[in-house]
Each structure stands twice: as C-alpha cells, then as structure tokens.
Amino acid sequence: MRRLLAVLVCSVVLAAAAPARAQPRPVDIPRLTDDRGRTLTLRGWNVEDKTHRGEQALSAITERHFRDMRAQGFDFARLLVFWDDLEPVRGRYSETYLRKIERVLDWADKHRIQVLIDAHQDVFGPAFGHRGVPEWATRTDGLRFTPHPDDWFAEYFEPAVQRAFTHLYEDPDLRRAQARMWRVLAGRFEDHPAVLGYDLINEPMGELREGEDLPTAARRIERDQLTAMYNRLADAVRSVDDDNWLFVEPTPIVGEGVPTGLGRIEDPRVVYAPHFYNAAMEAGADYDPDAGWIESYEAAVTAYPREYGVPVVVGEWGPLNNSLPNMGRFYREALASLARYGSGWAGYVWCYGGGYCAVDADGRFRTNKEQTAAPYARAVAGTVREESWDPVRGVYRLGYEARGSYATELSLPSGGAAWRVTVSGGVRVGERVYAWPGERVRITVNRG
C-alpha cells in the first residue's frame, strides 16, 4: 500500500507476526476449473484506462494489448470497468460503454485470453477525483475531504471517503443500485466466450471507529459489511448468470499479512482474490528478503481458502520500482510463492511506458518483469501429480493422470519457438497434449 498504510500497518503487523516458513502447495486449497473439469492456471495482467471517460472511455486499451500478452504466453486479463461510466445518471445505463467493453472482450477472445471483469474503484470514485462509484451514489454527510496529491492512498482515510463506503454498504437504495449495476453487466456478458468471471469490487475499504487500529477495523469491515455485500451481489449476478466465477476481495490490509475477517459467500463458484502489495515497497523501498513478508503474506492469504474451500487468484501484484537491487530476487520468490497456493495471478499493469507498466513503448519487458513469462499449463485434463518451474535451468515439468477426452493446453512464451517440449504417456499436437483416461502423462519443457 502507500506511505500512510505503511505507517498504520507495518508497526502493528510486523511486531506481532513471526515469519512463517513457506510450505509445499496446500492440498486443501482447491484449484480453479473450467466447464470441462480441467484444472486451470491463469497468468496475465490487468488492462485499464483510468484516464478517459464518456465517448473516449477504454480508448487506451487496444488489440495490441491482447496480441502482445498472448505472444508472451499469458492467457488472462483483469479488465477494469467503472460504474461511473456505466451509469453516469442514476437508472440510465450507457449502451456506448457496454459496446466498448464488448469490443475489448472480442479482442481478448480473438487472442485466446480469458477476462475477469473488475468493477474498479479508487478512493471510492469521481466525487474525490478518482474513478468508481458514481457521484450520485456518493454520500458523505458533509464530512471533510482533503486531497493528498503526493499520496493518493492516504485519501482512503479521509472522513468523507470512509463515510461514503458506510453508506454504500448500509443504505438500502444504494445496495439495490449496486445490485442492478451488476445485473446489467452480467446479463450483457454472461455468454461472451472471453468472460471467465466478475470481480465484484476492487480493494474495498470502510470506516474506522474511534480507538480501532487498522487490522481490527479491516477484519470487522470484512466480517460485517463485505460478506453481506458479496452475498447480495452474488444473488444479483446469479439472477442472470449461472456459470461464471465470482471473485471476492478482502480489504487491501491483507497485503501486510493480516488474515481476512471475510465470511462465507453462499455460492458454489467463488474465487478468493486478494492483492499482493507491500507497504514499504509501494513507498519506494527495495525488497527485504529477511523481513519475512512473503512468508507472512502466504500464511495469511491461505487461511480463508482453506476454511471455505475456494480457489485463490491474486488480482494485482508487482512493485513500482522493479529495478532496485533486490527486485530480481523478489520476482523469483514471489512467483514461487504464488505458484504454491494460487490458481493464478494478474500483474499490474500491461501498458507501454514507465511506472507500473510491464513493458516499454516498444513492447520489451521492463527490468525483472521478464521473469513473469514462463511455460505453464493453462488447462490440465486430469489430476495434477507434480508441477515445477526451474527459472535458472529453464525447465518446466508437469505430471498428471489423464481424465476425460479433452486436451491439456500448454502456454509457451514467444509462441513456443524458444522451447523444446517432450511428452510421455500422451500425444502432443502444437501446444495441446492428448491422452487416454487413466494414462500417466509427463511433460518436460526446456528453454532453447
């Protein structure tokens, strides 16, 4: 998180939480699956346009984004959409905006990328100079709001912003409006072949009570307000869409190794979708391998999926200053951790330039981000017995027991040209492997 979050959280969490040793992949965390029963792994990036609105909305996203991602082996995009663009006037939904979303989804489908539609908000919405919840749905009770141009995350702790979240969670008419918004989105895109699921709200926050520290407040907000909201929105989506996955996020405080207070979401197709940011690194510090942050985070984020039996997909991650001395090690250790418990991740963000962008203006990976592009099995038609990636030797291994008649699909960076693939127990056709049910299949992919 940002600097204020570092001040509020780090002193509490790092003093209280002893680093936990990372463990092999937990067997009690289920994997994400597709409608054929294949085990899925999602790897990709967020795609966004936070700048343009109205007629220019989403214009910063082009077909190139999806073509270039797929060329590097990625199969997943988390698409940011904004309620304030969808419903700028209460009760009037923008057909123009829906068509723009559909165009983006068509590009993704053309390049075989699955999309998570994310109802994004930053600092609630345009009433506070950002994007998300429309101004007509923003209620502050006249409380103070002071902008923080050098530290935008600090604006979440302004009284007006916190009160706006309370009204969104508790006012019956705003609850109904948010549910209607999701019925419109899901009803429009339920059958689009690119759509995998819906992220019901990005990085939800809430109102701190007097005398409450941030971790305690986060767990209360998650338990008492977010759980109820997600169940309402799940009902709204299911009124028009029975199949696509529902992604639910805790507050961003989980990024500091604080287990969520989120309760059960009463739906059979729920994915837990935390974000993976560290306060010190977001404030510009280098990765500290001795601080135990990755281990603490991993221990915290695996508690919820273990308890409720849901898959995990990390919806955002990646430091701003990715070229600092220890960042190469960070990417290696972070990617290994994500593979232990998750069904996938979306880095932040696929754009062409500086800052958080994955690639430069010419489409070349920025320093250390090339580590995100590695071979993997995007869909396994069977029970995975072993899976590993050795980034030093450039060797990926997959072993599974085949089930059904569908293909296992590999995903290889650079269109597979730089990789040698060997298969035993099955037949390879391009990036697909077929095998008889019950066959033990072993796949090895070597660099060069």
Side-chain angles (χ1 to χ4, degrees):
M1 303 311 103
R2 307 313 188 259
R3 288 192 296 276
L4 180 59
L5 190 57
V7 172
L8 292 172
V9 178
C10 283
S11 60
V12 175
V13 176
L14 297 181
R21 295 180 66 86
Q23 300 296 320
R25 181 175 183 87
V27 297
D28 51 350
I29 296 179
R31 296 290 294 266
L32 193 69
T33 56
D34 66 8
D35 56 4
R36 303 171 184 177
R38 299 182 301 176
T39 299
L40 297 181
T41 296
L42 308 175
R43 293 186 183 173
W45 296 83
N46 285 259
V47 290
E48 67 176 28
D49 182 356
K50 294 184 178 181
T51 302
H52 300 100
R53 303 183 62 178
E55 292 297 322
Q56 296 301 311
L58 300 178
S59 60
I61 302 172
T62 68
E63 184 177 353
R64 179 190 180 190
H65 287 66
F66 300 98
R67 182 180 63 247
D68 290 357
M69 279 194 287
R70 194 70 190 93
Q72 292 296 344
F74 299 111
D75 73 335
F76 178 50
R78 180 174 179 260
L79 172 63
L80 279 58
V81 302
F82 300 102
W83 185 2
D84 59 285
D85 251 328
L86 177 61
E87 192 181 2
V89 178
R90 186 167 191 161
R92 298 181 185 177
Y93 299 97
S94 171
E95 178 62 27
T96 299
Y97 192 56
L98 290 167
R99 286 197 300 269
K100 289 176 179 292
I101 295 172
E102 188 168 22
R103 180 179 63 176
V104 173
L105 294 175
D106 289 344
W107 289 331
D109 182 50
K110 177 179 177 181
H111 296 285
R112 296 184 296 135
I113 289 180
Q114 300 176 90
V115 175
L116 172 63
I117 297 176
D118 162 44
H120 205 84
Q121 65 79 31
D122 292 317
V123 194
F124 203 77
F128 306 110
H130 296 274
R131 303 298 310 280
V133 182
E135 291 190 65
W136 59 259
T138 304
R139 296 170 182 166
T140 66
D141 298 337
L143 295 179
R144 181 189 74 251
F145 173 72
T146 302
H148 296 257
D150 297 326
D151 187 9
W152 68 266
F153 197 85
E155 294 173 359
Y156 273 112
F157 301 93
E158 287 293 313
V161 175
Q162 296 200 346
R163 184 60 53 84
F165 276 105
T166 297
H167 282 294
L168 178 67
Y169 300 147
E170 297 183 358
D171 290 9
D173 63 325
L174 295 184
R175 290 180 177 184
R176 290 191 295 270
Q178 189 183 25
R180 284 195 302 270
M181 178 271 293
W182 265 115
R183 282 195 294 271
V184 169
L185 272 178
R188 179 64 171 260
F189 301 117
E190 60 164 330
D191 291 326
H192 196 288
V195 173
L196 174 79
Y198 312 108
D199 192 335
L200 299 177
I201 188 171
N202 175 71
E203 295 187 350
M205 292 288 279
E207 190 166 7
L208 277 68
R209 294 172 177 170
E210 186 174 354
E212 204 173 37
D213 64 39
L214 189 53
T216 300
R219 288 192 292 267
R220 173 185 55 78
I221 292 163
E222 291 159 344
R223 182 189 66 241
D224 297 343
Q225 295 177 314
L226 297 189
T227 302
M229 178 188 67
Y230 287 141
N231 277 300
R232 289 193 302 272
L233 298 181
D235 288 343
V237 170
R238 292 302 177 224
S239 70
V240 295
D241 183 341
D242 293 332
D243 298 324
N244 287 311
W245 290 90
L246 304 180
F247 287 59
V248 298
E249 300 187 30
T251 63
I253 315 309
V254 72
E256 294 304 322
V258 179
T260 183
L262 197 63
R264 182 181 298 279
I265 312 305
E266 301 294 342
D267 191 274
R269 295 176 68 80
V270 169
V271 179
Y272 183 52
H275 292 181
F276 182 30
Y277 291 121
N278 170 263
M281 290 165 62
E282 288 297 286
D286 199 358
Y287 173 56
D288 181 358
D290 298 323
W293 168 60
I294 289 179
E295 295 86 350
S296 296
Y297 175 86
E298 184 172 327
V301 300
T302 54
Y304 182 85
R306 279 183 163 132
E307 180 175 0
Y308 293 104
V310 298
V312 183
V313 173
V314 169
E316 289 186 26
W317 75 285
L320 175 62
N321 298 323
N322 53 285
S323 60
L324 295 172
N326 289 334
M327 285 301 177
R329 180 171 176 179
F330 165 73
Y331 274 93
R332 291 191 298 274
E333 295 183 356
L335 287 163
S337 175
L338 290 167
R340 279 192 288 270
Y341 61 84
S343 284
W345 45 259
Y348 188 83
V349 53
W350 193 273
C351 55
Y352 300 88
Y356 284 97
C357 287
V359 293
D360 64 19
D362 296 320
R364 295 184 297 258
F365 277 115
R366 299 180 63 235
T367 306
N368 290 311
K369 293 182 183 288
E370 73 283 350
Q371 293 190 47
T372 62
Y376 64 100
R378 63 198 305 257
V380 178
T383 302
V384 177
R385 301 300 185 188
E386 60 173 310
E387 189 174 22
S388 66
W389 163 243
D390 183 338
V392 176
R393 296 175 57 208
V395 178
Y396 169 75
R397 290 189 173 91
L398 172 68
Y400 67 97
E401 182 177 333
R403 185 178 64 248
S405 59
Y406 299 111
T408 288
E409 297 183 17
L410 302 177
S411 194
L412 306 176
S414 303
W419 305 93
R420 299 193 313 271
V421 182
T422 58
V423 178
S424 65
V427 177
R428 176 188 170 212
V429 181
E431 293 188 0
R432 297 187 175 191
V433 175
Y434 296 86
W436 292 106
E439 194 77 38
R440 294 288 182 125
V441 182
R442 290 185 60 85
I443 301 172
T444 303
V445 181
N446 290 273
R447 182 185 291 127

